[in-house]
Amino acid sequence: SVIFSYVGRDFYSALSAKDLGVFQEKTLAYAVGLAVATPLTVLYKFQRQRLALSWRAWMTAELARQYYEDRAYYRVELDKDIDNPDQRLTEDVAAFTRVSLDFFITLLTAIIDLFSFSGILYSIYPNLFYAIFAYASFGSVTTVQLGKTLVGQNAKQLLREADLRYSLVRLRENA
């Protein structure tokens, strides 16, 4: 991102100055950057999906092993606080691994971008850096506060979906 921002800056500066030589040089730099970045992006997405599938497979197998161990499924069935354990083994694991991985990668990317672009912005105009940092902090705190209610709503939705799937399976079994 940082490299493309520098290339973009020089590209648009050459474009506005109508400097054909620099414009052609920066266009070539953009083309080389895209030629390198495109396969890297595809490889990144492939590895990310592979990691998600591997993690989900491992977690599902581990939870199933614990569920079958010492006939734990009988104890789970007696505990009314645990609803639809068969659905939880599949759907909740999928949701957990997807959201956790997305959150981790988003957080890691944001931290890298924060440090990369903060240095650039601070070197250009320190006061703007502080203003943007305050604005982003306010936005982040506000988003977290507003998002707290979504956690409970998401849990309720997952419960309702699991109940529906459970009911449909029982209906099919008894048909």
Side-chain angles (χ1 to χ4, degrees), residues 11-46:
F11 174 83
Y12 287 112
S13 295
L15 188 63
S16 65
K18 298 180 182 173
D19 186 343
L20 183 63
V22 175
F23 174 75
Q24 289 174 335
E25 176 188 332
K26 296 308 170 184
T27 301
L28 179 63
Y30 252 131
V32 169
L34 287 173
V36 170
T38 301
L40 289 176
T41 301
V42 170
L43 179 64
Y44 160 76
K45 290 187 179 195
F46 172 77

Side-chain angles (χ1 to χ4, degrees), residues 26-167:
K26 296 308 170 184
T27 301
L28 179 63
Y30 252 131
V32 169
L34 287 173
V36 170
T38 301
L40 289 176
T41 301
V42 170
L43 179 64
Y44 160 76
K45 290 187 179 195
F46 172 77
Q47 292 294 2
R48 181 177 172 170
Q49 289 177 356
R50 197 169 116 188
L51 174 62
L53 288 173
S54 296
W55 188 22
R56 181 178 176 188
W58 172 83
M59 185 171 271
T60 301
E62 178 61 22
L63 288 174
R65 184 193 64 75
Q66 292 176 17
Y67 186 62
Y68 298 135
E69 189 174 84
D70 296 328
R71 301 163 91 175
Y73 46 87
Y74 285 126
R75 290 189 304 278
V76 169
E77 193 62 35
L78 294 174
D79 187 355
K80 297 303 175 195
D81 290 336
I82 302 173
D83 60 323
N84 305 317
D86 50 346
Q87 301 296 322
R88 299 254 181 229
L89 282 173
T90 56
E91 296 299 321
D92 285 3
V93 168
F96 174 77
T97 55
R98 184 188 71 248
V99 169
S100 297
L101 187 61
D102 287 347
F103 178 74
F104 174 74
I105 290 175
T106 300
L107 184 64
L108 184 63
T109 304
I111 290 169
I112 291 169
D113 286 348
L114 174 69
F115 284 107
S116 299
F117 287 108
S118 292
I120 295 168
L121 183 58
Y122 188 81
S123 69
I124 296 171
Y125 192 49
N127 289 338
L128 182 59
F129 168 78
Y130 293 125
I132 290 174
F133 186 79
Y135 175 76
S137 298
F138 173 75
S140 296
V141 168
T142 303
T143 301
V144 167
Q145 293 301 319
L146 293 174
K148 284 181 180 179
T149 60
L150 293 178
V151 174
Q153 290 175 356
N154 187 43
K156 286 179 185 176
Q157 180 175 345
L158 288 173
L159 175 63
R160 288 185 184 127
E161 289 173 359
D163 287 341
L164 175 63
R165 285 188 301 274
Y166 180 82
S167 299

